[in-house]
Amino acid sequence: MNDAVQPNHPESPRAEPVRYDFAGAEPRWQAAWTGRGCFDAPDVPDGSKPKYYVLEMFPYPSGKIHMGHVRNYTLGDVVARYKRARGHQVMHPMGWDAFGLPAENAARERGVHPAAWTYQNIATMRAELQRMGLSIEWAREFATCDPSYYGQQQKIFLEFMKAGLAERKESWVNWDPVDNTVLANEQVIDGRGWRSGALVEKKKLSQWFLSITKFAPELLSALDGLDRWPERVRLMQANWIGRSEGARVRFALATPAAGMDEVEVFTTRPDTLFGMSFLAVAAEHPLAAAAAAANPAIAAFITEVRSLGTSEATIEQAEKRGIDTGLRVAHPFIEGVTFPVWIANFVLMEYGTGAIFGCPSGDQRDLDFARKYGLPVPPVILPPGGDPATFAIGDTAYTDDGQLYNSGFLDGLDMAAGKRAAIAALEAKGAGNGVVNWRLRDWGVSRQRYWGCPIPVIHCEACGTQPVPAGQLPVILPDDVDFKKPGNPLDNHPTWKHVACPQCGSAARRETDTFDTFVDSSWYFARVTAPRAETPLVAEAANGWLPVDQYIGGIEHAILHLLYSRFFTRALNGLGKLGTAEPFAGLFTQGMVQHASFRAPDGRWLAPDEVEPTAEGGATERATGLAVTVSRNDKMSKSKRNTIDPGAIIDRYGADTARWFILADNPPERDMEWTESGVSGASRFTQRLFRLVSASVGGLPLPGTAPAEGAGRDLRRVTHRTIAAVTEALETFSFNVAVARIHEFANAIEAAGAQDAAARREALEAIARLISPMMPHLAEELWSLLRPDEKMLVAQLAWLDSNASLAAADSVTLAVQVLGKLRTTLAIPIGTDEATVFALAEADENVQRAIAGRPIRKRIHVPGRIVNFVV
RNA sequence: GCGGACGUGGCGGAACGGUAGACGCAGCAGACUUAAAAUCUGGUUCCCCCCGGGGAGUGCGGGUUCGAAUCCCGCCGUCCGCACCA
């Protein structure tokens, strides 16, 4: 039997210091947990206990774990261990988000195959995570690059296709010229690729899109129900989905162009239609192309605008530029009047219809544009108290509410009524209608990369795009690829893409694009409930475990990954594959782990072990003795050489110490600074606890000995109060407070001494168990010292209950104020009647001095807290 | 520009509207050491004071309240997200 509970009676205390041998103990307890299957979850929750699914975002196997991982997985492990002890059936899995560009870059730079590189990294990182003592059920582990995973993903995609949720369409896409691939909108940050940092270009390509926009209304409205999500993440998603109410308005072209006889515009301000001065279209708009074909100056303008691209938006913001196409449109409400059609650089093809009507008096951008090109600025909204005869627009558009004028049938209405009336009139004339517009766009998932999940379709010239037949799935990535040539290695492969059309049998071409890796991470949380199944999901398992009760990860995924996962879950729900519509009931976003960085006078970055701290809080370089620039709270990065290797920390201090420090330092949602002094402080505490227990066991009564009635009362009170306080702190993610309470508890146990041995045993056993979610190995070690014959591990025990009557105080310290200022404190027995409390308080000499003979006008007593005299 | 969060000792931070600064880090003093490390003890918001104590204090200015770090209004600052979104 693999029973790690070993008799470990320390000898009676000797002079030599006892030290906790974490290096020996930690692997021993890890083996004990695994040996007993402490962390195994049933395939389907069996209903004997409430289920609880704890999930931390799967790591990308980049090489080694970093401190951000340590923090993330420690937080999750505290929750998992705590919930298990609270009687939940807990699912706590781990795996790898394993497709992605770094593997391909490694292949190009070092000639390692992406698969070999990835699986090697996984092996390294798995071993590192296992050293942390996480309560993970490793049997469920998988990597998204396993064919057994991505093959199932291909099935889901084909289901999406069948359901009309995936389609191939030609569109303007974001092209990353460094990574040579398309990027989703969400992956373009400040006009640059999220990974390469290269300026993104606009290209027109045929791509696969997932219809996330079909779910825009529910993705937005369901945010309200996610009450265990951080408010700011919900706001970010709401902004990203971007609902706005307005109208589509069709303007008839005076002369048809580009096969069109009208231009459609989206506006949120149909009330200001009478303030129109011009119509403007985006450079990518079909009308712009038509105008360019006839006029080289226009063609040159378009080329110029496009070359600036979205990336220059910030710089270009001030400057509105445009060119008149010569085309004119009729106004829907004003007979016989036409307006010019311009191409303008501030009109975006990807929002609304790619065309706007310009109302300079009511929109700052339109006003800037009109002023620059000398277009008219007719005012249509009169501010409250304004004089219609004299009101004029200067350099600032009037965007607030007011009364419509110069607006025909809208005259006299306010903004809201004007909008309603204008929309009604447009609909009556057939010139437009009220609509809700969404900022969210469909998710382009095609990537021109090798190391991703192949998109399972075949292109046949005769039959069109065909799904790969079920019998030919999974479409496996070929191993023999050449990374020397530029471009997509799958496309360059000599044979892989040549296949027969499943429909007609003639020569056809396999799709060589792979999926965006965010597809892989959009359903892994469901797959892990049945990771080896022959179907993507097993309904009983997925529906039994989902939604994830507590999801934990970085705020950087606030939009991308979380929105895509919500979409996938809703789509699978709609297809009847999942019983839940939201994947993550609770979300916690942790802060970053930072570290001071050090820079020598000549600009070299120095590693922490190359500098010596000075008394003033600065530092000098060890090798040269020169002062270095210290900047605190820098994100850990290889270039600044301020990374701390978790493996080295565990070697030196043990996993429990690393976990304890990371939890103790500050609230988990904030950024934390990793400090050497902080870790050594945590290390001191682990040793102190071990000394406390090992030095005490000799004098304790047998396990199970109840303290005599009334004995050791003060210590027992602290014990039961601490149990309540730590429980409360763990429930609310206040892990730093839980740590502080345990510190206080340890101080109190030491201060109490050995007066009542049974109460001391109770306290020591409690502290051993209270630390267990945070320092699981030390908890087991202490428990085995205290209960050498106990068969159950702490990991198998139920959480402690606080006994309310033992926790109750029999006297309280009451603060006594005069006019809200503290004058003294009084120790008052619980249950003292109010009149006595007032009398005692009033009799105090400090209180008397503060009252200074004045009559007391009011006496306030909050039992157990405060007395306040108002004079 | 729009939206959001946050400002508490030297530092990280604690505080159902009720004794501000728990707990830790750092530094200071002392004990144990030949010495150091380790460990233990004490004090550490600022100012005044002989003890007892008194005054000020949670970014700034107002307000509500017997009582405000906490609630409300207005500033200032820091950080984050979105950003030519029609």
Side-chain angles (χ1 to χ4, degrees):
Chain A
M1 171 172 166
N2 183 6
D3 190 348
V5 182
Q6 298 170 358
N8 194 6
H9 295 289
E11 303 300 312
S12 50
R14 292 221 191 88
E16 68 264 26
V18 208
R19 283 198 66 84
Y20 169 47
D21 171 29
F22 59 82
E26 291 184 348
R28 180 155 43 83
W29 294 116
Q30 286 160 18
W33 295 324
T34 331
R36 298 194 185 194
C38 291
F39 313 135
D40 295 350
D43 291 342
V44 179
D46 58 24
S48 62
K49 305 169 178 179
K51 70 97 184 174
Y52 201 91
Y53 182 179
V54 187
L55 181 66
E56 302 95 63
M57 293 176 183
F58 277 14
Y60 176 77
S62 54
K64 304 181 84 173
I65 66 169
H66 54 67
M67 278 301 169
H69 292 127
V70 175
R71 194 177 198 196
N72 194 175
Y73 301 124
T74 298
L75 294 174
D77 201 46
V78 171
V79 175
R81 285 178 181 272
Y82 172 71
K83 288 291 177 185
R84 231 177 253 119
R86 289 302 297 253
H88 288 81
Q89 204 152 63
V90 170
M91 154 94 84
H92 188 212
M94 183 57 75
W96 311 93
D97 181 20
F99 274 135
L101 215 40
E104 246 173 285
N105 291 340
R108 281 179 214 280
E109 288 157 19
R110 274 171 274 164
V112 204
H113 192 278
W117 183 86
T118 301
Y119 284 107
Q120 178 54 55
N121 289 345
I122 287 174
T124 306
M125 292 172 72
R126 182 195 302 115
E128 290 180 307
L129 290 182
Q130 286 174 339
R131 289 189 67 200
M132 286 177 61
L134 304 171
S135 64
I136 281 167
E137 187 182 10
W138 284 99
R140 292 181 181 275
E141 176 193 3
F142 64 83
T144 57
C145 62
D146 297 341
S148 63
Y149 181 79
Y150 73 72
Q152 301 297 332
Q153 182 164 301
Q154 292 167 346
K155 290 185 195 167
I156 291 180
F157 176 76
L158 294 180
E159 294 271 358
F160 279 12
M161 253 178 94
K162 214 187 296 173
L165 293 174
E167 58 174 333
R168 195 170 164 82
K169 56 186 178 187
E170 179 143 291
S171 72
W172 291 98
V173 295
N174 306 300
W175 180 259
D176 185 323
V178 168
D179 283 348
N180 276 315
T181 188
V182 164
L183 297 176
N185 264 15
E186 288 84 343
Q187 293 164 336
V188 180
I189 292 144
D190 289 336
R192 292 171 182 274
W194 71 298
R195 185 174 277 285
S196 71
L199 290 173
V200 166
E201 298 166 1
K202 291 274 177 207
K203 256 195 178 185
K204 203 162 195 179
L205 282 178
S206 204
Q207 298 286 299
W208 284 100
F209 284 85
L210 297 184
S211 307
I212 190 170
T213 54
K214 288 189 177 149
F215 294 84
E218 47 184 298
L219 286 170
L220 180 68
S221 62
L223 286 171
D224 290 338
L226 297 176
D227 54 353
R228 291 204 297 118
W229 278 42
E231 182 61 24
R232 63 176 182 140
V233 173
R234 293 192 288 170
L235 273 164
M236 281 162 75
Q237 293 217 349
N239 289 337
W240 191 266
I241 297 168
R243 180 184 197 273
S244 57
E245 286 181 15
R248 292 217 172 196
V249 186
R250 287 183 288 278
F251 291 87
L253 279 162
T255 48
M260 305 164 72
D261 52 11
E262 57 183 24
V263 192
E264 195 174 33
V265 148
F266 173 72
T267 179
T268 54
R269 294 296 304 276
D271 55 314
T272 64
L273 269 166
F274 284 91
M276 179 166 184
S277 164
F278 59 93
L279 190 143
V281 300
E284 296 90 354
H285 195 277
L287 268 189
N295 184 335
I298 295 176
F301 174 79
I302 290 174
T303 311
E304 196 188 333
V305 168
R306 195 174 302 155
S307 72
L308 286 170
T310 48
S311 55
E312 300 293 326
T314 38
I315 308 162
E316 206 58 22
Q317 200 162 337
E319 221 205 321
K320 303 273 178 288
R321 302 186 50 206
I323 191 164
D324 192 344
T325 61
L327 296 164
R328 297 191 74 87
V329 290
H331 193 281
F333 297 144
I334 314 171
E335 289 297 324
V337 179
T338 62
F339 294 92
V341 176
W342 287 66
I343 299 167
N345 65 342
F346 68 93
V347 180
L348 307 174
M349 193 61 214
E350 53 268 23
Y351 187 78
T353 62
I356 61 155
F357 86 85
C359 172
S361 63
D363 183 286
Q364 191 59 44
R365 292 155 305 174
D366 296 350
L367 182 63
D368 294 345
F369 192 76
R371 291 286 183 236
K372 175 155 181 179
Y373 293 105
L375 296 159
V377 184
V380 282
I381 301 234
L382 190 63
D387 178 355
T390 56
F391 179 69
I393 299 287
D395 288 331
T396 309
Y398 183 75
T399 55
D400 293 336
D401 206 349
Q403 200 175 63
L404 284 157
Y405 72 127
N406 302 333
S407 293
F409 65 93
L410 298 175
D411 279 354
L413 299 176
D414 66 9
M415 194 190 286
K419 284 179 182 178
R420 283 194 297 271
I423 289 171
L426 286 167
E427 288 175 352
K429 287 194 98 169
N433 52 294
V435 292
V436 173
N437 193 61
W438 302 88
R439 181 184 179 278
L440 185 68
R441 292 169 63 218
D442 277 339
W443 175 16
V445 292
S446 299
R447 297 291 181 273
Q448 293 67 44
R449 313 299 321 179
Y450 166 74
W451 193 233
C453 171
I455 299 177
V457 295
I458 292 165
H459 301 287
C460 170
E461 290 210 357
C463 311
T465 300
Q466 298 295 318
V468 172
Q472 293 176 29
L473 290 178
V475 177
I476 306 256
L477 284 171
D479 277 335
D480 52 337
V481 281
D482 180 4
F483 293 100
K484 302 240 162 42
K485 282 191 234 168
N488 180 355
L490 285 180
D491 204 35
N492 294 338
H493 192 281
T495 58
W496 188 74
K497 66 183 170 187
H498 302 301
V499 287
C501 169
Q503 199 75 20
C504 67
S506 58
R509 185 178 58 82
R510 193 185 282 292
E511 172 71 67
T512 56
D513 286 353
T514 52
F515 284 124
D516 180 2
T517 57
F518 279 99
V519 175
D520 312 335
S521 56
S522 291
W523 71 291
Y524 76 98
F525 47 86
R527 174 70 182 172
V528 81
T529 62
R532 318 282 171 236
E534 295 297 326
T535 52
L537 299 171
V538 173
E540 309 83 72
N543 294 336
W545 285 109
L546 288 172
V548 174
D549 294 280
Q550 188 62 64
Y551 197 37
I552 306 175
I555 186 73
E556 67 273 19
H557 293 107
I559 296 172
L560 297 174
H561 161 59
L562 292 169
L563 190 60
Y564 293 149
S565 297
R566 295 183 62 219
F567 155 63
F568 248 71
T569 305
R570 277 176 189 278
L572 289 166
N573 177 244
L575 295 175
K577 308 282 180 194
L578 271 182
T580 176
E582 284 292 335
F584 313 120
L587 171 69
F588 188 89
T589 53
Q590 71 188 70
M592 283 189 304
V593 184
Q594 307 177 320
H595 194 280
S597 64
F598 308 98
R599 198 163 201 183
D602 58 11
R604 280 173 302 122
W605 292 100
L606 302 173
D609 58 5
E610 293 172 342
V611 300
E612 188 71 36
T614 61
E616 301 80 42
T620 54
E621 182 178 3
R622 285 224 169 89
T624 62
L626 293 171
V628 302
T629 310
V630 181
S631 93
R632 289 192 57 189
N633 300 334
D634 258 348
K635 185 176 178 174
M636 284 194 185
S637 74
K638 280 178 192 152
S639 62
K640 291 187 176 175
R641 302 192 64 207
N642 63 342
T643 56
I644 298 293
D645 173 29
I649 294 293
I650 294 177
D651 287 343
R652 181 157 170 209
Y653 297 101
D656 281 343
T657 291
R659 294 168 59 125
W660 190 252
F661 169 57
I662 244 171
L663 295 165
D665 190 60
N666 70 349
E669 68 276 11
R670 296 194 205 165
D671 291 347
M672 71 170 287
E673 189 190 0
W674 186 273
T675 59
E676 197 60 22
S677 56
V679 202
S680 60
S683 174
R684 272 201 297 279
F685 186 69
T686 60
Q687 293 297 342
R688 185 177 151 210
L689 272 187
F690 183 79
R691 272 198 311 276
L692 175 63
V693 171
S694 53
S696 302
V697 281
L700 297 180
L702 288 175
T705 309
E709 185 68 29
R713 205 162 159 171
D714 290 341
L715 182 56
R716 297 198 76 193
R717 183 175 306 119
V718 176
T719 301
H720 287 270
R721 289 190 161 197
T722 302
I723 293 169
V726 170
T727 304
E728 159 82 15
L730 293 180
E731 289 283 352
T732 58
F733 262 86
S734 308
F735 301 142
N736 57 322
V737 179
V739 166
R741 296 291 165 259
I742 289 169
H743 265 281
E744 287 177 84
F745 190 24
N747 293 344
I749 298 173
E750 282 180 349
Q755 299 155 10
D756 186 274
R760 189 173 178 82
R761 167 173 281 283
E762 181 187 46
L764 291 171
E765 290 189 353
I767 205 167
R769 293 166 67 174
L770 289 174
I771 63 169
S772 67
M774 288 82 95
M775 297 201 281
H777 312 88
L778 181 62
E780 300 289 359
E781 192 73 16
L782 299 182
W783 185 243
S784 72
L785 288 175
L786 289 159
R787 297 268 188 123
D789 301 320
E790 172 72 49
K791 289 287 175 277
M792 296 277 270
L793 300 175
V794 178
Q796 297 171 301
L797 295 175
W799 193 243
L800 286 165
D801 284 320
S802 169
N803 180 321
S805 64
L806 287 170
D810 42 21
S811 86
V812 285
T813 305
L814 211 55
V816 181
Q817 301 181 337
V818 176
L819 284 172
K821 277 191 189 298
L822 182 73
R823 292 302 167 186
T824 193
T825 58
L826 290 176
I828 303 272
I830 286 284
T832 307
D833 67 280
E834 194 161 76
T836 313
V837 170
F838 283 138
L840 284 168
E842 215 173 314
D844 184 273
E845 98 184 62
N846 290 335
V847 174
Q848 278 301 318
R849 191 170 340 119
I851 290 172
R854 290 170 289 183
I856 296 173
R857 292 191 289 126
K858 196 170 174 189
R859 295 173 166 84
I860 290 141
H861 176 220
V862 181
R865 295 219 166 261
I866 208 156
V867 166
N868 192 9
F869 293 121
V870 184
V871 293

